[in-house]
Amino acid sequence: MQEWIQLLIDGITIGGVYAVIALGYTLVYGVLRMINFAHGELFMMGAFTGYYTLNGFEKHSSLNDSVPVLTIAIAIVLGMVVAVTLALVMERIAYRPLRRAPRLAPLISAIGVSILLRNIMLRATNAQGKVYPKVFPRTAVEIGEIRLLYVQIFLIVLSFVFLGLLYLFIQRTKAGVAIRAVAEDRDTASLMGINVDRTIMTTFAVGAALAGAAGVVYGMFVTTATSGMGFIPGIKAFTAAVLGGIGSVPGAMAGGYFLGISEAISTKFFGAQYKDVVAFVLLVAVLIFRPWGLFGKREDKRA
Amino acid sequence: MAILSVRHVSRAFEGLIALNDVSMEVEAETIVGVIGPNGAGKTTLFNLLTGFYRPTSGEIWFEGKRVDGLPLHRIAAAGISRTFQNIRLFSNMTAIENVLVGSHLHLSTNIATAILRLPFTVKQEKRAVQSAVETLRFVGLAGRENELAWNLAYGEQRRLEIARALAVRPRMLLLDEPTAGMNPGESVDMIRLIRALRDDLRMTVVLIEHQMRVVMGVCEYITVLDHGEKISEGRPEDVQKDQRVIEAYLGTGALLSEGAS
Amino acid sequence: MKGSGSLSSLRAALDPGRYWSRAGEQLQTTTSGAAVARFGQYAVLPLLAIAGGLGPSYFGIRWTFAILVIVMYALLRSRSGLFGMVVLGAMLVYLPHQMDTFERGIMFDIALYALLGIGLNVVVGYAGLLDLGYVAFFASGAYLYALISAPQFGGGFDVGTSFWIVLPMAMVLAALVGIALGVPVLRLRGDYLAIVTLGFGEIIRIMINNQDGVTNGPVGVFAIPKPHFGSTELSGPVELYFVVLAGCFVAAFAAERIRDSRVGRAWEAIREDEDVASSMGVNTTAYKLMAFAIGAAIGGGGGVIYSAKQSAVFPSDFNLDVSINVLALVIIGGMGNVRGVILGAMLLIGLPEVLRDFSINIAFIHLDNLGADYRLVIFGAALVAVMILRPEGLLPARRRQAQFEPADVLEPEVAT
Amino acid sequence: MKIGKRALLLAAMLATLTMVLAACSSGTSSKDKTATAGAGGAKTPAAGATTAATKAATGAAGSITVKKGDKIKIGISTTLTTDNAELGIPIRDAALLAIKTKGTIKGFGIEGDPQDDGCAGPASVTAANKLIADGVVAVIGPMCSGGAVAALDPLSGANMLTVSASATNPSVTAQGKKNFFRTAWNDATQGAEMAKYAYTTLGKKNVVLVNDQSTYGKGLMDVFKASFTAAGGKVASEEAVTVGEKDFGPTVTKIKGESPDLVVFGGFIAEGAVLVRQLKDAGVTASFMGADGIADQKYIDQSGGAAEGSYVSRGPKPTDTKLYDAFAAAYKAEYKKDAGQFTEQATDATNIVLAAIEKVATVDGSGNLVIDRQKLIDAVAATSYAGASGQIDFDAKGDRKVVGAVNEIDQVKSGKLTRIQ
């Protein structure tokens, strides 16, 4: 029983990361109908920013030991800033010129950006994985056999908080309404006085901020940053977004957790080598019964 | 003998009832109009007849065969073809290619014969092109064969849609607002075309139409929908006098002003 | 009348893939002049080929590659498509003889990826189905040949001839795999299909990696025998390059013919508006499956050749990168267009390899390993740049419209 | 009319076919020509090393000629892109250092030609083709076992001396290619030694094996399993991790549930460090054992202290470490960082190759250096070399003979790899 609870916690931990990254996919897909293949790399850049920030504090001050809350907060904020800046540059250079281009052109452009970022970081770090300094004590809460690292709790809680905040942002703020309007119908939204360019940028920024922050916290959890670390979570998050119904915010969240937990459980049953098989088979199974995803809007025949 | 029989058909969208217990019969080789105010469920009815929607309840029979629930292409094969209210051509294909897609069911080329390009394939294809050209000429698009669909003028696009639907060689043709956006001259042409479809090609035509002049001018029988229900049917002059129809159209003024003229 | 008819027949015969000739107006006006011009072009052909062939000796591979791409680009964009194809064909046939091992290896890779691109193009370009798991078919072909012929597993087949038997077998197998994948997922739209196919590609790779008993797992299958053609062993990249090239010709020919038929029209209609296509009588599920099966068969055939050339295959050879590369080259080349695919393959597969030697040595700047270290950085940037500069791809599918010409239709009809 | 049309089409197709076939046959003859040119390579016009003719000459089987004033090229096939470059770059650096240290052979300068082999079959074949074309005398590499197996096809076709410092899987030498040697240890040797050590010396009876699904990791764990169970031990379960992932939570939970007394890992640094840390985080008390894939200070650094106490097999080694220490010091002096895993094997491989070149190379009448490929291979096969990684003698398959060496086992003590056997 306790093993099952532990597996569930493992699943929620990684699932939360998938969910937060998936939100970026789903938001961008919502407004632009494009798969931003480079989104996972923003997560990676966040993790590196976290490393450089915390390592800087470690080397030049004692703040990591005296007020870790402060340095962690700064790292997260910087991670967000770097990811948002990159995302906006990416949008401006690689995606905006392609807004009226054939549907698959931005996809390839995004793949190009993804390869570019990965290899720039590979060269910048000379292919050495960067190890986070010890900011978070690696101690754990223990209940019987169940163990939860503090940093893990932080990661889980933070992903919940992010998801909640994003939901409020989308539902309650003016910018959120604009995003939903553009997602619904870009041309109509534009006619109704919504600045479409700015809304698209907001969308990229919000998605990137989440990915950047997630990168920092995940980096603290796994304690390393490598140039390739964004790729697999990126693909998984994309899967999660589709599973939940791409374009749907609650769908991305649910899809992320669903995927994380199913990976954990299938590891128990079949071994980790088959967890991706299970995940994708589940995806197909879900899509066969709900072709529009768990929470996606049912697209009837467009009559 | 009724070619089409709609029996107690309803369709709901997430609780919203778009069509409620509608029954109607269409006689072969007639021109039937479906009218009603906006949101009356006319296009929903067309979508049900052509398989775009499945009825929530009720049955649809065409030529003695039940067609509701069939996939779209089976309904086309059964002999029903349609046009769309918001024109839906294959806009990056040429006019003649659009029509050739319509004749899909009447050609037999498969992968093997396409690669080998056997003489009979070539011959069949040529015949298809020939008949596509004739169809385009029939709808008044002679000389526009190689134009991309989205380059055509609005009225031409409507006619191309009809040509494409005709290429399916349906026994019943559903026209969704065929004269929408046309000037009076073009509308008259369209009326002439619709009559020719029935007279020359012996087709049954069902059309949704807002312009009462067209409806009264061409339809032999009219079904009136309002709020998803059938409120009246009969010959044009009878329907025009029906109190419920007049009420339904009150405020829109459409029926009275146009119908009277 | 008779004269113009024979001319159009001639044009039709010369223009592979279509008999409604597009370039009618050029020729119709000054028939004799154009004919002379055309023959003039053929005379230039050997000269060009020789120049291209000698290029590597004088300019080195980097410049030759650049020149080759530019020449091809110009030729393929010009209106005389057939001429471009012939020049291209001649160069592709002649050039490898002037090349060294490395360059031949690249040429093989380019041709192989062009073949895969032609296959995926049927799925993505013609039918508009976004497939991110194309590697699955490539893998099934490669492993079929590997498992049947490698001595590790008994190698029960006569290796000398098995290649030519396995090739069609693998194509059929891959087509079946394609249909098996297609049936459950084809009612999914656009990006849903993309992720499911991506997952399918991964599933195949993971299964190969973990079914040790069958596939030898990550250790891979090796000592795969080379095929024979008659009594000649096709051992080097250059011999198998010609097998792939022939495969490209056949696949491109078949693909273009299918595209210009009723089947191709149905695909195009599905791509434009699936529901309307269906309501015009197109059985969309069947036609999508057909596209999947054809694309898969070509991918499977490519896999067999790959396996034979490589002589060792590993599950890691069939990762997501392969699918992404093939998709990217199809789109960069210009979707729905065989010539674009070939050009895309040259750029996408050729460029990163040619960049290996790239270095900058100007004045005090010495970046000797620039290419070796940064080639993927440059490659990523190039992908973005190409898409921004030419969003439709380098050779946008100059849509082959079924041009109606009275002469084409009326003449035989009058005769009957 | 129609017949004419089809006849033309047929003619066009036939023409194409003829063209292809003609090209095929001329392909063979052209290849023959280059082979002949190779034998008489000295006659090649001095148009620079980039001409196709010269490249073809050096790529041919017989001998290789380095013209007066040119440098002897040594190919280095290693991984320079993807996260595996973490291993590949130090290997390249070690080989380049050995080349630099050697300086010249018979008055000819030496230069390294590093090529990215992607740690996988396709890219390794491309890298091999590139090196053949570049006219290298020998190849250090390929880095990974899978890549080596695939790349040996073109390399042995060119009769190219190939010495890998890091391709350890038994399959590489099982192919029986005569031109291949390795200074890395065959996993069959190492895996069996590891199992023996775990069972006999450490007294572990119940283990969980974890591999990274790579040729190396899976292959090593298979050997371990066979030896360990043959000795009477029990393998509780076999788990896997995915390269590139950073969170193995569920796998760790599952391992915990098996309550093993030893966890054995076959894979590389990145995953090994994450795994050992997460095992510790999860409260797994079992010992941890890895192999040469993690025998590197980076493994300890990246584990954030969790590697303390883990056992690391480094393959058979001599007990005398003076040569290794000297190499490590030189490496550190050159690159300002510690010598990574496989670097000592890389430097040995390079030195063996350079020594063999020195032995067989002759200067001909016009001052060119001529190296016979077969003699070069034979020279390496006869090598008996005391290097940084120990005494190196090759057996008939190209594997290292285990002479005067025991399997070195290190334990991480106070954040350093410390030899305990």
Side-chain angles (χ1 to χ4, degrees):
Chain A
M1 184 60 210
Q2 290 185 331
E3 191 181 356
W4 287 105
I5 294 172
Q6 182 75 53
L7 281 173
L8 199 66
I9 293 168
D10 294 336
I12 290 172
T13 310
I14 187 73
V17 175
Y18 293 162
V20 172
I21 307 175
L23 282 173
Y25 271 106
T26 229
L27 284 174
V28 169
Y29 185 86
V31 296
L32 279 181
R33 296 280 180 273
M34 79 164 264
I35 304 164
N36 182 10
F37 234 88
H39 192 64
E41 271 58 50
L42 295 175
F43 171 79
M44 177 268 289
M45 294 305 283
F48 271 110
T49 312
Y51 159 75
Y52 284 116
T53 313
L54 291 175
N55 202 43
F57 280 122
E58 183 77 14
K59 282 210 172 123
H60 305 294
S61 76
S62 58
L63 289 176
N64 276 348
D65 300 323
S66 49
V67 270
V69 182
L70 180 69
T71 57
I72 290 170
I74 293 175
I76 292 176
V77 170
L78 279 179
M80 291 167 114
V81 169
V82 167
V84 168
T85 314
L86 255 176
L88 293 181
V89 172
M90 230 152 79
E91 196 273 331
R92 187 69 195 79
I93 294 176
Y95 306 149
R96 194 181 297 177
L98 296 175
R99 217 170 277 166
R100 298 280 168 191
R103 196 168 64 91
L104 293 179
L107 177 73
I108 300 304
S109 187
I111 289 173
V113 172
S114 162
I115 295 174
L116 186 67
L117 287 179
R118 240 183 298 154
N119 283 284
I120 286 177
M121 284 321 288
L122 184 79
R123 301 275 62 116
T125 59
N126 207 17
Q128 302 296 308
K130 295 295 180 193
V131 186
Y132 272 61
K134 259 200 189 121
V135 185
F136 244 104
R138 293 201 82 77
T139 43
V141 183
E142 287 188 62
I143 313 156
E145 285 287 296
I146 301 162
R147 283 169 67 99
L148 258 166
L149 294 176
Y150 283 119
V151 61
Q152 197 173 2
I153 297 170
F154 184 54
L155 178 61
I156 294 172
V157 171
L158 209 68
S159 46
F160 274 127
V161 171
F162 280 151
L163 300 178
L165 283 178
L166 185 90
Y167 194 73
L168 288 179
F169 172 79
I170 295 289
Q171 294 296 328
R172 298 283 162 81
T173 65
K174 218 177 144 194
V177 173
I179 290 177
R180 280 191 293 152
V182 172
E184 197 67 39
D185 186 336
R186 197 195 302 168
D187 293 332
T188 311
S190 153
L191 286 176
M192 290 170 67
I194 291 171
N195 184 335
V196 173
D197 271 344
R198 194 192 299 156
T199 307
I200 289 173
M201 282 168 69
T202 314
T203 312
F204 267 93
V206 171
L210 290 176
V216 177
V217 184
Y218 187 67
M220 287 195 286
F221 171 52
V222 303
T223 71
T224 49
T226 57
S227 60
M229 74 185 290
F231 191 70
I232 294 177
I235 297 284
K236 294 289 173 62
F238 176 26
T239 312
V242 170
L243 190 62
I246 194 158
S248 152
V249 169
M253 303 177 188
Y257 285 112
F258 183 91
L259 198 65
I261 292 168
S262 78
E263 279 188 3
I265 291 172
S266 54
T267 299
K268 170 70 183 161
F269 274 116
F270 308 103
Q273 56 269 52
Y274 289 109
K275 71 180 161 56
D276 293 352
V277 174
V278 174
F280 283 118
V281 168
L282 277 176
L283 174 76
V284 173
V286 167
L287 291 182
I288 283 173
F289 293 104
R290 291 182 69 88
W292 49 92
L294 290 172
F295 287 78
K297 232 185 296 169
R298 178 177 192 150
E299 266 188 59
D300 221 325
K301 295 201 172 79
R302 292 157 301 144
Chain B
M1 150 83 198
I3 188 169
L4 174 77
S5 166
V6 178
R7 298 173 193 169
H8 305 287
V9 163
S10 300
R11 168 71 202 204
F13 294 102
E14 301 184 5
L16 194 82
I17 294 167
L19 215 58
N20 188 14
D21 195 28
V22 169
S23 298
M24 65 184 281
E25 305 253 302
V26 172
E27 294 297 321
E29 289 180 45
T30 53
I31 301 175
V32 175
V34 177
I35 64 169
N38 282 330
K42 305 181 296 283
T43 297
T44 304
L45 176 67
F46 266 32
N47 284 334
L48 286 164
L49 293 180
T50 47
F52 278 71
Y53 297 154
R54 277 159 190 252
T56 315
S57 64
E59 295 174 1
I60 300 167
W61 293 72
F62 180 73
E63 292 189 326
K65 210 175 124 194
R66 190 167 168 186
V67 293
D68 61 274
L70 289 183
L72 298 174
H73 66 272
R74 298 272 304 277
I75 291 178
I80 303 178
S81 166
R82 71 174 291 187
T83 67
F84 297 87
Q85 185 182 358
N86 47 333
I87 300 173
R88 286 173 75 176
L89 289 165
F90 306 120
S91 42
N92 287 311
M93 297 170 83
T94 59
I96 197 163
E97 283 174 330
N98 267 277
V99 179
L100 285 170
V101 172
S103 59
H104 181 88
L105 284 168
H106 307 289
L107 302 175
S108 63
T109 312
N110 57 30
I111 291 168
T113 54
I115 295 173
L116 297 174
R117 198 165 278 171
L118 298 172
F120 91 87
T121 319
V122 176
K123 206 164 174 184
Q124 190 189 50
E125 190 80 355
K126 288 198 172 188
R127 236 180 272 133
V129 171
Q130 174 113 29
S131 92
V133 170
E134 277 161 15
T135 311
L136 284 171
R137 192 180 300 147
F138 184 76
V139 300
L141 287 174
R144 307 289 276 159
E145 291 88 356
N146 296 333
E147 204 66 57
L148 287 182
W150 58 268
N151 280 339
L152 293 173
Y154 186 79
E156 290 178 320
Q157 292 194 357
R158 286 241 170 257
R159 285 199 293 248
L160 178 55
E161 257 206 332
I162 294 175
R164 183 180 68 185
L166 288 176
V168 182
R169 291 186 218 160
R171 280 177 300 290
M172 182 171 84
L173 179 66
L174 308 181
L175 302 175
D176 200 340
E177 300 197 28
T179 65
M182 287 187 175
N183 63 38
E186 286 175 327
S187 296
V188 170
D189 284 349
M190 186 56 72
I191 291 174
R192 218 173 273 146
L193 176 65
I194 292 168
R195 284 221 183 90
L197 290 177
R198 198 269 309 271
D199 297 342
D200 299 348
L201 303 177
R202 311 183 66 80
M203 245 171 230
T204 309
V205 180
V206 181
L207 57 115
I208 293 173
E209 191 48 74
H210 277 300
Q211 291 196 45
M212 282 308 144
R213 194 186 356 233
V214 177
V215 178
M216 296 305 157
V218 76
C219 296
E220 293 141 346
Y221 199 81
I222 289 177
T223 299
V224 190
L225 297 179
D226 187 27
H227 291 110
E229 309 211 8
K230 187 175 77 178
I231 55 171
S232 176
E233 63 182 333
R235 287 154 15 111
E237 48 273 31
D238 300 335
V239 168
Q240 225 168 348
K241 291 179 201 129
D242 190 318
Q243 196 56 36
R244 290 186 63 187
V245 178
I246 294 168
E247 272 168 31
Y249 272 89
L250 264 185
T252 69
L255 185 68
L256 293 175
S257 61
E258 286 198 49
S261 63
Chain C
M1 191 70 205
K2 198 167 187 331
S4 91
S6 71
L7 180 67
S8 82
S9 311
L10 180 73
R11 274 205 315 275
L14 284 175
D15 247 350
R18 134 184 88 115
Y19 60 91
W20 290 310
S21 179
R22 173 179 33 76
E25 60 273 24
Q26 282 182 329
L27 287 168
Q28 240 143 23
T29 45
T30 56
T31 309
S32 56
V36 171
R38 194 170 269 260
F39 279 103
Q41 286 176 334
Y42 285 117
V44 178
L45 189 80
L47 292 176
L48 254 176
I50 290 166
L54 294 178
S57 318
Y58 292 104
F59 309 122
I61 179 68
R62 240 183 302 144
W63 288 108
T64 308
F65 187 79
I67 294 167
L68 194 65
V69 170
I70 293 166
V71 169
M72 269 181 50
Y73 187 52
L75 280 174
L76 294 179
R77 270 179 65 83
S78 75
R79 285 188 65 85
S80 53
L82 173 66
F83 176 64
M85 286 304 267
V86 171
V87 174
L88 171 65
M91 279 174 140
L92 291 180
V93 168
Y94 183 67
L95 268 183
H97 299 295
Q98 298 301 319
M99 293 182 159
D100 64 30
T101 317
F102 172 59
E103 293 153 0
R104 286 173 174 184
I106 298 177
M107 286 301 272
F108 175 87
D109 290 346
I110 289 173
L112 179 70
Y113 271 84
L115 179 65
L116 297 181
I118 290 167
L120 183 63
N121 187 36
V122 171
V123 183
V124 180
Y126 294 173
L129 304 166
L130 182 51
D131 182 351
L132 283 177
Y134 192 61
V135 70
F137 313 123
F138 183 51
S140 43
Y143 262 88
L144 182 72
Y145 180 66
L147 293 179
I148 283 181
S149 63
Q152 254 163 307
F153 301 93
F157 259 62
D158 170 15
V159 293
T161 51
S162 69
F163 178 83
W164 305 103
I165 303 164
V166 177
L167 190 60
M169 267 170 63
M171 292 177 71
V172 171
L173 173 83
L176 291 177
V177 172
I179 290 170
L181 162 70
V183 167
V185 303
L186 274 183
R187 59 196 205 109
L188 303 176
R189 277 164 203 272
D191 305 297
Y192 289 78
L193 187 63
I195 189 69
V196 170
T197 48
L198 185 154
F200 182 70
E202 286 291 284
I203 287 174
I204 295 276
R205 184 182 58 77
I206 294 169
M207 291 321 254
I208 293 174
N209 206 30
N210 287 295
Q211 295 301 311
D212 297 11
V214 185
T215 62
N216 212 23
V219 177
V221 183
F222 45 89
I224 301 165
K226 305 284 182 190
H228 285 71
F229 187 76
S231 58
T232 323
E233 192 192 47
L234 305 174
S235 56
V238 78
E239 286 83 358
L240 282 163
Y241 163 80
F242 286 111
V243 175
V244 188
L245 201 61
C248 282
F249 272 118
V250 173
F253 179 79
E256 295 221 331
R257 276 207 156 179
I258 296 173
R259 183 203 50 193
D260 292 338
S261 74
R262 162 181 179 259
V263 180
R265 274 199 307 268
W267 284 337
E268 202 174 350
I270 290 172
R271 202 178 68 201
E272 292 273 309
D273 191 330
E274 185 178 336
D275 295 326
V276 175
S278 181
S279 88
M280 292 302 133
V282 177
N283 184 347
T284 48
T285 312
Y287 275 83
K288 284 173 169 183
L289 282 180
M290 252 182 242
F292 253 83
I294 294 174
I298 295 175
V304 172
I305 305 174
Y306 171 80
S307 193
K309 181 253 172 186
Q310 201 74 1
S311 88
V313 292
F314 306 90
S316 61
D317 294 3
F318 306 100
N319 58 22
L320 181 59
D321 291 353
V322 177
S323 299
I324 289 180
N325 269 335
V326 180
L327 180 69
L329 73 87
V330 167
I331 294 166
I332 287 232
M335 214 165 62
N337 175 345
V338 169
R339 298 152 197 213
V341 167
I342 296 168
L343 195 66
M346 293 200 73
L347 275 181
L348 249 92
I349 306 307
L351 184 66
E353 302 308 338
V354 172
L355 279 174
R356 277 176 186 270
D357 272 345
F358 186 61
S359 59
I360 295 178
N361 279 304
I362 313 166
F364 54 89
I365 305 169
H366 292 289
L367 298 167
D368 279 335
N369 287 329
L370 194 67
D373 287 354
Y374 286 86
R375 64 199 180 96
L376 292 182
V377 175
I378 301 170
F379 177 68
L383 275 189
V384 178
V386 170
M387 278 294 101
I388 291 171
L389 297 175
R390 299 199 65 91
E392 312 257 336
L394 292 168
L395 294 168
R398 204 170 26 201
R399 270 198 11 79
R400 297 265 192 131
Q401 294 139 17
Q403 295 266 333
F404 155 73
E405 284 176 35
D408 278 336
V409 182
L410 297 178
E411 195 207 14
E413 290 304 318
V414 169
T416 46
Chain D
M1 191 60 64
K2 272 193 196 112
I3 293 165
K5 196 187 285 184
R6 267 183 293 149
L8 264 174
L9 197 65
L10 197 67
M13 285 173 69
L14 275 176
T16 313
L17 197 66
T18 321
M19 202 154 68
V20 172
L21 287 178
C24 271
S25 57
S26 82
T28 341
S29 69
S30 134
K31 216 181 130 211
D32 291 342
K33 229 177 350 195
T34 56
T36 335
K43 283 180 194 140
T44 317
T50 49
T51 70
T54 313
K55 281 186 206 173
T58 53
S63 67
I64 181 162
T65 306
V66 183
K67 278 180 300 301
K68 201 173 175 177
D70 283 354
K71 285 184 169 175
I72 300 168
K73 276 194 181 181
I74 307 293
I76 303 165
S77 168
T78 185
T79 303
L80 303 174
T81 54
T82 75
D83 283 354
N84 281 319
E86 184 167 47
L87 297 164
I89 291 173
I91 290 176
R92 177 194 68 188
D93 291 347
L96 288 175
L97 178 59
I99 290 169
K100 189 178 158 193
T101 311
K102 179 78 182 171
T104 56
I105 292 175
K106 302 198 167 156
F108 284 75
I110 318 165
E111 67 177 351
D113 182 358
Q115 292 296 335
D116 178 20
D117 69 15
C119 191
S124 296
V125 169
T126 309
N129 283 334
K130 174 78 176 120
L131 292 172
I132 294 168
D134 283 354
V136 300
V137 177
V139 172
I140 310 298
M143 178 170 121
C144 297
S145 299
V149 169
L152 274 179
D153 185 47
L155 286 173
S156 59
N159 208 23
M160 175 75 76
L161 169 63
T162 306
V163 186
S164 175
S166 50
T168 56
N169 194 273
S171 62
V172 187
T173 43
Q175 291 201 96
K177 303 285 189 191
K178 295 293 169 208
N179 61 321
F180 182 79
F181 305 89
R182 57 179 160 195
T183 53
W185 291 97
N186 189 323
D187 289 337
T189 309
Q190 191 185 197
E193 288 291 323
M194 281 171 75
K196 201 166 85 188
Y197 187 83
Y199 188 81
T200 315
T201 313
L202 295 178
K204 306 294 184 187
K205 303 290 180 258
N206 184 28
V207 301
V208 170
L209 307 181
V210 185
N211 73 73
D212 67 349
Q213 304 183 60
S214 72
T215 311
Y216 161 74
K218 181 72 168 53
L220 186 66
M221 287 304 99
D222 285 349
V223 175
F224 186 99
K225 185 187 180 190
S227 308
F228 194 75
T229 47
K234 180 183 161 226
V235 173
S237 80
E238 288 178 83
E239 301 300 325
V241 293
T242 305
V243 174
E245 289 192 352
K246 295 268 177 280
D247 177 13
F248 308 137
T251 306
V252 167
T253 302
K254 195 177 171 192
I255 293 172
K256 193 178 176 186
E258 301 285 352
S259 311
D261 48 19
L262 179 70
V263 176
V264 187
F265 174 68
F268 296 108
I269 300 166
E271 287 72 34
V274 170
L275 181 66
V276 73
R277 197 197 53 243
Q278 292 194 342
L279 284 170
K280 192 151 205 181
D281 287 346
V284 175
T285 49
S287 311
F288 188 84
M289 184 185 223
D292 46 3
I294 60 166
D296 193 304
Q297 185 61 34
K298 286 193 288 268
Y299 158 67
I300 300 165
D301 296 344
Q302 290 184 17
S303 72
E308 191 66 23
S310 46
Y311 299 96
V312 180
S313 160
R314 308 197 70 160
K317 283 269 163 57
T319 40
D320 177 7
T321 61
K322 275 198 291 273
L323 284 168
Y324 177 80
D325 295 341
F327 158 72
Y331 186 96
K332 185 147 193 178
E334 178 77 15
Y335 298 112
K336 311 283 175 278
K337 55 188 177 188
D338 287 325
Q341 68 198 111
F342 297 121
T343 50
E344 68 269 31
Q345 280 98 337
T347 197
D348 288 351
T350 315
N351 284 330
I352 288 171
V353 167
L354 295 176
I357 295 173
E358 185 138 48
K359 202 164 129 196
V360 303
T362 51
V363 182
D364 69 6
S366 28
N368 299 330
L369 194 70
V370 179
I371 303 158
D372 186 89
R373 289 201 180 280
Q374 191 53 48
K375 279 188 191 153
L376 188 63
I377 290 168
D378 295 342
V380 170
T383 291
S384 178
Y385 176 79
S389 66
Q391 178 62 30
I392 300 173
D393 297 274
F394 295 110
D395 65 14
K397 289 194 301 181
D399 274 328
R400 283 175 77 159
K401 284 186 205 157
V402 186
V403 280
V406 290
N407 200 53
E408 175 176 342
I409 304 284
D410 287 4
Q411 192 173 20
V412 180
K413 290 181 180 168
S414 312
K416 292 277 169 217
L417 284 168
T418 313
R419 182 166 190 154
I420 57 170
Q421 176 187 308

